[in-house]
Amino acid sequence: RTIGYHYDAYKTPLFVEKRINVNDHGYDTVYVVENRGEQVLETVIGLEYHVAPKINRYSKDDAIRYIIDVEHGVNEYYTGVSRRVVVKTSIYPDIILESNTDHEIWVAPIYSRARTEKGLLDVFQGIGVLFIDRVSLKPGDRFETLIKHYVNL
């Protein structure tokens, strides 16, 4: 799909494509952004995933964790550069987000507040993972990346 992107005072035409390929253990997503304008486009592209492994809402924090180079607790925030995030639980298979290139990655827990018979409760909803790329696209240049989302059986 071709869209317009307002960059400073200029409108830059872009071609944007997202292809999803479903396979036996998950899915692969290919993202493409092409500069169809007449000037250099410098921007930030963020690809966001929410991973929501099944856990008991009253479980301890150590029931879920994620690994990017080293293991992190579910309530730890992460920013760094990598191409792979592994989400682990104590009883279910690992959930893996893996790219073909390095990205700046931000990871944070997602909670919602619920009213229960015991009062207000912060309920764990999942982990937010954001793959970030700072790109500079000359006219005709394209950004392309692949992110795999699968279960390690």
Side-chain angles (χ1 to χ4, degrees), residues 24-45:
D24 290 342
H25 300 292
Y27 60 93
D28 302 344
T29 309
V30 175
Y31 298 91
V32 177
V33 177
E34 182 181 317
N35 181 356
R36 293 198 174 162
E38 297 177 5
Q39 355 188 57
V40 174
L41 172 68
E42 294 186 13
T43 191
V44 177
I45 297 172

Side-chain angles (χ1 to χ4, degrees), residues 4-137:
Y5 175 78
H6 290 277
Y7 178 65
D8 289 335
Y10 303 101
K11 185 175 180 183
T12 304
L14 299 174
F15 172 77
V16 177
E17 181 178 30
K18 178 180 179 181
R19 290 188 315 263
I20 299 173
N21 207 16
V22 178
N23 54 51
D24 290 342
H25 300 292
Y27 60 93
D28 302 344
T29 309
V30 175
Y31 298 91
V32 177
V33 177
E34 182 181 317
N35 181 356
R36 293 198 174 162
E38 297 177 5
Q39 355 188 57
V40 174
L41 172 68
E42 294 186 13
T43 191
V44 177
I45 297 172
L47 308 169
E48 185 173 1
Y49 287 83
H50 294 175
V51 180
K54 183 172 175 53
I55 61 169
N56 181 325
R57 72 177 178 173
Y58 299 107
S59 66
K60 303 281 187 226
D61 288 345
D62 62 356
I64 184 170
R65 56 212 180 280
Y66 63 94
I67 298 172
I68 304 176
D69 301 324
V70 298
E71 193 168 293
H72 302 271
V74 68
N75 289 315
E76 293 181 49
Y77 292 79
Y78 173 87
T79 58
V81 176
S82 188
R83 63 176 56 196
R84 189 169 197 254
V85 178
V86 180
V87 178
K88 299 179 92 48
T89 67
S90 54
I91 57 175
Y92 293 101
D94 296 349
I95 299 169
I96 300 168
L97 293 170
E98 185 170 34
S99 180
N100 62 332
T101 59
D102 285 339
H103 301 269
E104 182 177 343
I105 296 179
W106 296 358
V107 180
I110 302 170
Y111 283 89
S112 66
R113 181 152 283 196
R115 186 179 309 273
T116 71
E117 63 280 355
K118 296 180 182 179
L120 289 177
L121 179 67
D122 287 329
V123 179
F124 176 77
Q125 297 293 315
I127 295 176
V129 179
L130 183 62
F131 292 85
I132 300 168
D133 288 282
R134 299 170 197 290
V135 298
S136 178
L137 300 174

